[in-house]
Amino acid sequence: MEPLISSLKPELANDNLKRIADKVIEGIRIDMAEGEYLFEKADLALLAQLANLVNHRLNGDYVLFNHNFHIEPTNLCVFNCRFCSYHKAAGDPESWVFTLENIKDIARKYQNSNVTEVHIVGGVHPKWDIDYYGKMIRAVKDILPNIHIKAYSAIELDYVIRKSKLTYAEGLKRLKEYGLDSIPGGGAEIFDPEVRAKICPDKASGEAWLAIHRAAHQLGIYSNATMLYGHIESYKHRVQHMEAIRKLQDETHGFNCFIPLKFRAANNPMGYLGEVNLVEDLRNFAVARIFMDNIKHLKAYWPMLGIQNTRLAINFGVDDIDGTIDDTTKIYSMAGAEEQKPAMTTEKLKQLIVESGRIPAERDSLYNIINVFNK
Ligand code: V47
């Protein structure tokens, strides 16, 4: 059901908010100053109404999920992101490096299952070259020939492609030949160079992240975009970040979804900052939904947000809650997310969506709906 936004309009005492709300209701894009204004001044109820309206126009009552698992090939990393709880030095008892055989063993667990996607992402190993990254893809496809491979953040790609002395287009083309299907959204963090200098000083810049995704889209490789929020960034930084992604999407139409990722504070050098509260999470989802008018899907990644909060986020513009995941990611459990062993059965995912008053639908990795669960 279309939200009753008209009933809210006369109650807005603030003229600026009224003007912004009118634009959203009329389907007109809001600009950066208006995005910032929503972050600063709009109350939760208005944001929910507007975000629901935008989402409903794009996605109706469907909330999507898929059947996926993760492979995290290593947590060794040449970079030192200060928010990271996951990377370890070589020799640390908590470090790991998978061989191609290890990767095949993981893939074998999903033979005869209903998974349609594997998400491969990890630390940036100092020694691996582009062909090793390709061989990891091929190892999975040898065992699961029909699986969609969403692999490697722009940070891994930037490092290994440059190391292999290739252009982004050449490197991506090579990985596509090995079987790469799409690219996850990791590594975007906040694009602003001053923020980046403080939270992830030594890794690829925002421009490099955008250039990798542009090159991928030009080769017909779809991708996702993320934003790490709730640390030292300001609302302006969030809006600038979203604007850069919105602009690239106008140019390429290659982003499938936008994924705000809440900074989690356990076991990392930025932990002293603490974490933003749930209201801030919901406000952030809503503004993202309103601002990113050209990206159809907004994902809440439930292992990061927690199951109860994901249920709430569905009423703040979220239409995608990722997948079953099956206990295969450590990035968030090591950073203190409450789902220590992230796995959800299809039944639980469906129940979560139904309890939010929406219709669960299983999607594939390119967001085609495969199954609708009406009852
Ligand atoms: O880039 C790392 C984030 C990202 C912390 O594309 C942290 O479908 C919070 O990008 N607190 C990697 N966040 C994960 C990622 C992702 C996840 C799910 C789905 C998709 C997709 C992509 O995780 C990193 C960083 O932004 N991260 N440490 C932390 N302490």
Side-chain angles (χ1 to χ4, degrees):
M1 241 197 0
E2 181 114 339
L4 292 172
I5 193 80
S6 56
S7 63
L8 195 87
K9 273 169 52 173
E11 291 167 26
L12 290 173
N14 174 321
D15 280 348
N16 281 336
L17 283 179
K18 217 181 253 172
R19 199 176 37 76
I20 299 171
D22 280 343
K23 270 178 116 172
V24 177
I25 292 162
E26 282 161 36
I28 299 169
R29 172 172 285 193
I30 64 166
D31 65 24
M32 288 168 72
E34 291 162 340
E36 222 180 307
Y37 198 81
L38 285 182
F39 268 128
E40 274 162 9
K41 295 281 196 282
D43 67 33
L44 197 59
L46 175 65
L47 289 177
Q49 294 253 15
L50 295 177
N52 266 316
L53 179 75
V54 173
N55 178 36
H56 192 270
R57 283 179 182 155
L58 290 167
N59 298 299
D61 283 329
Y62 292 130
V63 173
L64 309 175
F65 65 93
N66 75 347
H67 285 119
N68 63 349
F69 68 103
H70 286 219
I71 297 178
E72 293 172 358
T74 183
N75 65 347
L76 299 186
C77 191
V78 298
F79 298 122
N80 289 292
C81 299
R82 299 188 68 248
F83 52 78
C84 182
S85 314
Y86 165 88
H87 92 274
K88 298 284 174 234
D92 187 299
E94 283 190 74
S95 68
W96 70 85
V97 180
F98 290 165
T99 62
L100 295 178
E101 235 0 88
N102 294 148
I103 286 173
K104 284 188 182 176
D105 287 342
I106 297 171
R108 279 191 192 97
K109 291 197 233 154
Y110 297 93
Q111 280 175 319
N112 311 315
S113 78
N114 56 6
V115 300
T116 59
E117 172 188 284
V118 57
H119 178 165
I120 311 179
V121 73
V124 179
H125 193 285
K127 300 236 168 79
W128 292 347
D129 63 7
I130 187 106
D131 289 307
Y132 191 75
Y133 279 87
K135 284 174 191 163
M136 290 196 278
I137 292 171
R138 194 181 283 156
V140 175
K141 285 232 162 143
D142 281 351
I143 308 294
L144 301 167
N146 298 320
I147 200 148
H148 178 107
I149 301 213
K150 180 176 79 180
Y152 310 136
S153 73
I155 306 305
E156 292 160 287
L157 292 167
D158 170 73
Y159 184 82
V160 73
I161 291 173
R162 282 191 303 108
K163 194 166 107 175
S164 307
K165 304 223 177 331
L166 300 170
T167 64
Y168 290 153
E170 288 164 346
L172 288 165
K173 208 159 160 252
R174 172 110 44 114
L175 291 175
K176 195 175 177 192
E177 281 156 14
Y178 275 108
L180 176 71
D181 293 305
S182 68
I183 295 177
E189 323 314 356
I190 287 283
F191 293 144
D192 178 82
E194 282 176 26
V195 173
R196 250 178 142 73
K198 292 189 181 128
I199 69 169
C200 50
D202 49 359
K203 79 178 181 188
S205 64
E207 275 110 56
W209 189 98
L210 289 161
I212 288 266
H213 283 258
R214 178 182 286 106
H217 297 171
Q218 285 167 349
L219 288 167
I221 301 171
Y222 286 88
S223 71
N224 297 335
T226 58
M227 173 173 77
L228 182 70
Y229 70 93
H231 43 91
I232 60 165
E233 87 291 358
S234 64
Y235 288 141
K236 196 184 221 70
H237 293 133
R238 287 190 207 173
V239 172
Q240 285 169 344
H241 183 93
M242 291 194 288
E243 172 70 6
I245 293 166
R246 189 168 77 168
K247 255 188 158 156
L248 181 55
Q249 178 73 339
D250 278 342
E251 188 188 319
T252 63
H253 309 288
F255 288 115
N256 282 327
C257 76
F258 182 60
I259 315 164
L261 295 169
K262 173 202 188 112
F263 167 66
R264 304 303 305 243
N267 305 316
N268 63 64
M270 278 167 45
Y272 68 92
L273 292 169
E275 294 178 1
V276 294
N277 61 32
L278 174 60
V279 171
E280 186 60 26
D281 295 329
L282 300 176
R283 294 173 62 79
N284 189 64
F285 278 118
V287 177
R289 181 59 287 170
I290 296 163
F291 192 83
M292 305 298 258
D293 61 346
N294 59 358
I295 300 189
K296 191 170 177 200
H297 303 286
L298 181 68
K299 184 188 284 192
Y301 184 55
W302 65 261
M304 174 272 273
L305 200 59
I307 291 167
Q308 297 304 331
N309 298 349
T310 301
R311 181 176 296 146
L312 285 174
I314 289 172
N315 287 301
F316 289 81
V318 163
D319 74 295
D320 177 18
I321 59 169
D322 205 77
T324 38
I325 298 177
D326 201 34
D327 191 16
T328 45
T329 177
K330 291 203 169 60
I331 293 180
Y332 287 100
S333 53
M334 287 169 88
E338 45 268 53
E339 316 302 333
Q340 291 299 316
K341 284 205 174 293
M344 268 227 255
T345 61
T346 309
E347 282 316 306
K348 262 171 71 188
L349 279 175
K350 278 161 46 184
Q351 189 192 342
L352 188 162
I353 295 166
V354 170
E355 283 170 7
S356 310
R358 304 298 165 92
I359 303 168
E362 182 188 347
R363 63 165 174 85
D364 67 14
S365 301
L366 299 177
Y367 285 82
N368 302 300
I369 292 182
I370 309 175
N371 260 317
V372 173
F373 302 93
N374 269 320
K375 288 249 162 8

